[in-house]
Amino acid sequence: MKPFIVMDIVAKSKKLENVIHLEIGEPDTLPSFKVKEASLKAIKENKFFYTESKGLKLLREKIAKHYKIFYDVEVNPDNIIITTGTSTAFLIAFNFAKKIATPTPGYPCYENFAELESKEFIKIPTDFPDYKLKIEDLKNYEFDTLMISSPNNPTGTVIDNENLKQISKFCKENNKLLISDELYHGLVYDKDYTTALKYNKNAIVINGFSKFFSMPGFRIGWIILPDNMVREAEIIAQNILISAPTISQYAALEAFDYEYLKQIQETFKKRRDFLYNELKGIFNIAKPDGAFYLWCDISKYSDNSLNFCDELLTKAKVATTPGIDFGNFNNFIRIAYTKEIDLLKEATKRIKNFIKNRWIIAFFIDFAYNFIALCVK
């Protein structure tokens, strides 16, 4: 299994002082105060025991209600399994697949999960700047399962409703399982969007509380399955989960604080607009529709994203993620706008100075090389 490079960068950056952390996909925003109160209440009431493997029925009912409120989609709570983050949800979902196809760039752990379960993994290239998955491209590959993510990590691309409808129709007509990663739902800024369940009732949908709900350390997520997969998925959950963390489940009961969540969405939109406007003159960037990342083309400066990020970390004290973590994208880096704007201002200042100094050094090296070559002649 390949390493998840960003976690290695986190470990290295922790050993340095005065680093601005824009590498990991972890929101700095806090969950609703109601979540904290629910956690404390669960502790006081000694809620320290396993729940059923599918999770608290009350939480599954709350999630089902969320789909009705957020998307106007009916979901049966019995088709929901509460998971430890979304990672175990993918392990459950991939059990139903043989050949998994997914657009790239994409979340690196998808491939690692497939490798862990000995599944074939097929990458379908998408192009800058829109990274749109086209039906014509799907027809060129053999697979039984399509894995999509919207908003996408690392590009921030959102699959609009019409494109999602076409993808869903393709999967239904060609008897392909659709798995939809919707972890960044709620953090969408400029597009209409919806859940894959709106157009494909037999899709597997995965979501969680780490991003929009600002609860990464609670390690709590969910998976929604069609009727014919629920029992088998439950058996897998019984073995690999026992049950999701109980205190976290009780805390999540109060996570659906929509007035508060609107503020979270607005906060990240402001950060996106600020950071994009500050860096678009330095890097070639496709403005993201959602999530909290900028996917930046560094080809003007480097063709080695790992070295570039390492230099940016050690010389400018700004931690970012190399594009190589997401596939064969050595000319890209990912920058997460998961810090308040004052820190983003300082980070952009450091990045600009780093680029300027790097360019000056490169200019003089090139000048010296040409001068020596001229003298030799």
Side-chain angles (χ1 to χ4, degrees):
M1 185 179 289
K2 299 173 185 175
F4 193 9
I5 296 173
V6 67
M7 299 311 296
D8 290 337
I9 292 171
V10 170
K12 182 174 181 177
S13 65
K14 295 284 188 184
K15 299 174 183 177
L16 303 174
E17 295 182 357
N18 195 30
V19 171
I20 300 176
H21 292 275
L22 306 181
E23 77 279 32
I24 193 168
E26 179 181 50
D28 64 328
T29 49
L30 298 176
S32 167
F33 181 73
K34 295 176 183 179
V35 170
K36 183 177 180 180
E37 291 214 311
S39 303
L40 294 173
K41 184 173 183 288
I43 292 170
K44 288 178 181 177
E45 294 178 356
N46 296 320
K47 301 290 178 64
F48 304 125
F49 306 99
Y50 297 136
T51 67
E52 63 174 290
S53 292
K54 289 173 73 172
L56 285 173
K57 185 176 182 182
L58 188 56
L59 179 55
R60 291 186 280 119
E61 289 172 345
K62 285 252 182 163
I63 292 169
K65 184 179 179 182
H66 171 67
Y67 276 81
K68 182 63 178 176
I69 293 171
F70 223 66
Y71 311 105
D72 194 25
V73 169
E74 300 284 349
V75 173
N76 185 343
D78 289 336
N79 290 56
I80 300 172
I81 295 177
I82 309 301
T83 56
T84 305
T86 57
S87 297
T88 48
F90 289 113
L91 293 176
I92 292 170
F94 284 11
N95 175 72
F96 298 98
K98 292 180 180 178
K99 292 184 179 181
I100 303 164
T102 193
T104 187
Y107 183 50
C109 292
Y110 296 153
E111 184 174 7
N112 290 337
F113 292 145
E115 177 74 16
L116 187 64
E117 294 193 11
S118 301
K119 309 293 184 180
E120 289 189 51
F121 194 76
I122 301 160
K123 298 178 181 180
I124 303 175
T126 57
D127 298 322
F128 183 92
D130 63 355
Y131 295 103
K132 185 174 182 179
L133 181 62
K134 302 177 180 68
I135 300 302
E136 296 74 28
D137 295 334
L138 294 177
K139 294 176 181 178
N140 295 326
Y141 297 87
E142 289 187 10
F143 58 91
D144 61 48
T145 301
L146 178 65
M147 169 87 225
I148 59 172
S149 62
S150 175
N152 174 271
N153 173 13
T155 66
T157 303
V158 170
I159 300 175
D160 62 57
N161 290 352
E162 184 56 37
N163 192 206
L164 182 59
K165 186 185 294 186
Q166 293 173 3
I167 291 168
S168 298
K169 182 180 178 183
F170 173 86
C171 288
K172 286 190 289 186
E173 291 179 347
N174 293 277
N175 195 31
K176 300 189 187 294
L177 175 62
L178 178 62
I179 302 175
S180 181
D181 178 359
E182 300 177 358
L183 182 59
Y184 293 91
H185 272 212
L187 298 175
V188 178
Y189 314 115
D190 301 316
K191 278 191 176 180
D192 291 331
Y193 70 104
T194 190
T195 176
L197 292 172
K198 187 83 170 181
Y199 305 117
N200 188 337
K201 298 299 183 184
N202 290 317
I204 294 177
V205 166
I206 294 169
N207 204 334
F209 293 92
S210 296
K211 314 299 182 182
F212 181 41
F213 300 93
S214 303
M215 297 171 60
F218 284 83
R219 305 311 303 133
I220 194 83
W222 70 82
I223 181 171
I224 303 173
L225 301 118
D227 293 340
N228 63 330
M229 297 181 185
V230 172
R231 178 53 183 163
E232 186 173 344
E234 181 182 15
I235 292 170
I236 297 169
Q238 289 170 348
N239 283 275
I240 68 173
L241 293 175
I242 304 299
S243 68
T246 300
I247 300 297
S248 297
Q249 291 190 59
Y250 279 101
L253 287 171
E254 297 299 329
F256 300 99
D257 183 347
Y258 294 111
E259 186 175 343
Y260 179 82
L261 292 171
K262 179 64 177 175
Q263 296 174 34
I264 297 291
Q265 190 258 5
E266 290 171 353
T267 294
F268 281 107
K269 184 179 187 298
K270 288 176 183 176
R271 293 179 182 183
R272 179 205 62 170
D273 292 343
F274 170 79
L275 196 61
Y276 173 75
N277 288 327
E278 285 291 315
L279 297 181
K280 67 181 181 180
I282 301 174
F283 305 118
N284 195 13
I285 308 170
K287 191 174 183 179
D289 306 311
F292 38 58
Y293 308 110
L294 294 186
W295 183 237
C296 305
D297 184 350
I298 61 166
S299 55
K300 288 189 290 186
Y301 315 108
S302 176
D303 61 359
N304 190 318
S305 63
L306 191 60
N307 286 351
F308 186 89
C309 286
D310 190 63
E311 283 187 45
L312 190 57
L313 174 61
T314 55
K315 295 179 180 179
K317 301 296 179 67
V318 178
T320 57
T321 307
I324 197 69
D325 208 10
F326 304 93
N328 188 25
F329 298 99
N330 237 336
N331 57 333
F332 281 86
I333 65 170
R334 189 193 74 176
I335 303 177
Y337 41 96
T338 49
K339 299 295 179 185
E340 59 189 28
I341 285 182
D342 283 347
L343 278 175
L344 294 180
K345 286 180 180 178
E346 175 62 24
T348 56
K349 180 181 176 182
R350 294 184 188 185
I351 291 170
K352 289 175 181 178
N353 286 336
F354 169 76
I355 294 293
K356 180 181 177 181
N357 293 335
R358 207 172 191 272
W359 183 87
I360 291 172
I361 292 169
F363 173 81
F364 279 108
I365 290 174
D366 188 56
F367 177 82
Y369 175 81
N370 289 330
F371 180 77
I372 292 169
L374 185 63
C375 291
V376 169
K377 287 183 179 180

